[in-house]
Amino acid sequence: MSDLIKLLTVIFSLFWNKSKSNKWEKFDSNQRNFFSLWAETEKIGKSHFIYDKEFYDDILFNHLENINLDKRRNNDEIFDYIKKSEKLKINPCIFISPLTKPDNLKTSLTKIGFKKSDKILVMKNKNNNFKYDTKFKLKDVNQNNLEEWITCYMKSFEITEKFRSKLSNIINNIYQNKKNKFFLSILDNNIVGCLILFSENKIGGIYCVGTNPEYRNMGVASFILNHTIKYSKQIGNTDTILQTLASDQLEIFYKKKQFNIEYYIDVYLKE
């Protein structure tokens, strides 16, 4: 009987790990496909190289991910990526998730001058049972007022005006993609917060959560998150996720909004 229990435990563990891996692949795919709308993409072997020369110092728009390297030539593919990055004058950056292969890639990267610089927390929402201030309102985003969303985004992330034209082109293209839902929150007719929900394969990915600096610490993010989670469920998404850099120190905030950590993505930069 004990041998049967052990066998059943092993089978269950294999099934559970496979199920979890499949779910995480969908989470990774959501992130990759969303940022592919912002930047150029290129395949290097089976891995994905995402890059944007103008935002060269932003790791979200410049990195190698979805890494599944051939053990016999994994260094060749990494060196190929390094050459391409340096030619574009982008600092090589590699994302390593639990799905990354081979398992010893971190050791290999360290040997050729990479160092862990940060980590990304991939978090999944449990529910929207958290408090938010009802003094805020949602404003419908359409083609006519999309520039208001862009302005809020630029203020929230302190992006200078020299990038407005480029951002306007990117955001207008993203807006045309029906997988994206844009959110704006207002207070007394003033634009105070922004967000995008990218839905694909029944996964809703929350991105670009921004608050106008003049209205921070007033509950803007809580309000817009709550309504986004509700909307994500209404359109049939089975999971609603977001990502945040550990260095941004928002883990506690998102946990209070009923988000739990699913897994980490280690960020490696070449020194």
Side-chain angles (χ1 to χ4, degrees):
M1 180 63 73
S2 60
D3 289 341
L4 177 59
I5 292 175
K6 289 180 181 178
L7 177 61
L8 291 173
T9 301
V10 170
I11 292 173
F12 176 79
S13 178
L14 289 172
F15 174 80
W16 173 255
N17 288 335
K18 180 64 176 176
S19 176
K20 183 167 63 175
S21 177
N22 288 340
K23 181 172 66 173
W24 288 357
E25 284 176 0
K26 289 183 179 180
F27 291 178
D28 264 11
S29 176
N30 188 282
Q31 178 269 146
R32 179 169 59 256
N33 291 340
F34 177 75
F35 284 111
S36 294
L37 298 173
W38 290 71
E40 302 292 330
T41 60
E42 180 180 338
K43 290 289 288 288
I44 299 179
K46 296 179 181 178
S47 308
H48 286 80
F49 177 25
I50 296 176
Y51 64 93
D52 187 313
K53 292 189 293 184
E54 290 192 59
F55 296 130
Y56 64 90
D57 59 346
D58 192 321
I59 61 170
L60 296 177
F61 302 132
N62 296 281
H63 62 268
L64 187 72
E65 66 165 65
N66 192 36
I67 301 170
N68 190 345
L69 301 178
D70 186 332
K71 288 184 179 180
R72 294 170 296 178
R73 59 182 303 272
N74 58 12
N75 280 347
D76 292 342
E77 293 186 21
I78 293 297
F79 287 134
D80 185 23
Y81 162 66
I82 293 172
K83 288 179 182 178
K84 289 178 183 291
S85 294
E86 292 178 342
K87 186 176 180 179
L88 293 167
K89 297 183 179 181
I90 296 168
N91 190 28
C93 174
I94 295 180
F95 284 6
I96 301 179
S97 79
L99 304 174
T100 298
K101 295 180 182 178
D103 296 335
N104 65 345
L105 183 59
K106 293 179 183 179
T107 301
S108 300
L109 291 178
T110 302
K111 290 179 180 178
I112 58 174
F114 280 84
K115 183 178 181 181
K116 183 178 176 181
S117 67
D118 209 335
K119 65 181 178 181
I120 297 170
L121 286 58
V122 181
M123 310 182 76
K124 186 181 78 169
N125 179 256
K126 293 187 298 182
N127 57 64
N128 63 323
N129 293 329
F130 56 86
K131 294 180 180 179
Y132 65 93
D133 200 320
T134 57
K135 67 174 176 282
F136 302 105
K137 304 297 179 185
L138 285 179
K139 181 173 183 177
D140 289 334
V141 181
N142 54 52
Q143 195 71 58
N144 294 327
N145 64 12
L146 190 57
E147 201 63 33
E148 292 182 336
W149 190 97
I150 295 169
T151 297
C152 183
Y153 176 77
M154 291 179 66
K155 286 183 178 180
S156 300
F157 294 95
E158 300 178 350
I159 299 171
T160 60
E161 281 295 320
K162 72 176 183 178
F163 291 111
R164 180 178 286 275
S165 178
K166 177 181 176 64
L167 270 175
S168 291
N169 290 333
I170 292 173
I171 298 302
N172 270 281
N173 288 332
I174 292 175
Y175 180 80
Q176 302 304 323
N177 188 311
K178 300 305 180 184
K179 294 179 181 180
N180 293 290
K181 171 68 174 177
F182 284 65
F183 289 83
L184 266 179
S185 57
I186 60 173
L187 177 64
D188 300 328
N189 292 320
N190 296 310
I191 304 297
V192 296
C194 61
L195 182 153
I196 297 177
L197 178 73
F198 177 72
S199 299
E200 186 176 68
N201 297 323
K202 293 189 178 297
I203 305 296
I206 291 175
Y207 301 96
C208 306
V209 183
T211 300
N212 186 325
E214 298 175 27
Y215 297 91
R216 284 184 181 152
N217 302 314
M218 294 175 60
V220 175
S222 297
F223 169 82
I224 202 166
L225 280 169
N226 190 286
H227 285 275
T228 301
I229 294 165
K230 287 179 184 176
Y231 177 83
S232 184
K233 292 177 180 177
Q234 287 171 2
I235 63 174
N237 287 327
T238 56
D239 290 306
T240 302
I241 63 170
L242 57 75
Q243 299 178 341
T244 182
L245 287 166
S247 58
D248 286 340
Q249 299 182 326
L250 291 171
E251 177 183 349
I252 294 175
F253 170 79
Y254 284 124
K255 283 184 174 178
K256 289 179 179 178
K257 309 310 168 191
Q258 304 298 312
F259 284 87
N260 287 337
I261 297 172
E262 279 283 308
Y263 59 96
Y264 299 97
I265 299 174
D266 289 326
V267 178
Y268 276 72
L269 284 173
K270 198 169 189 308
E271 296 182 297

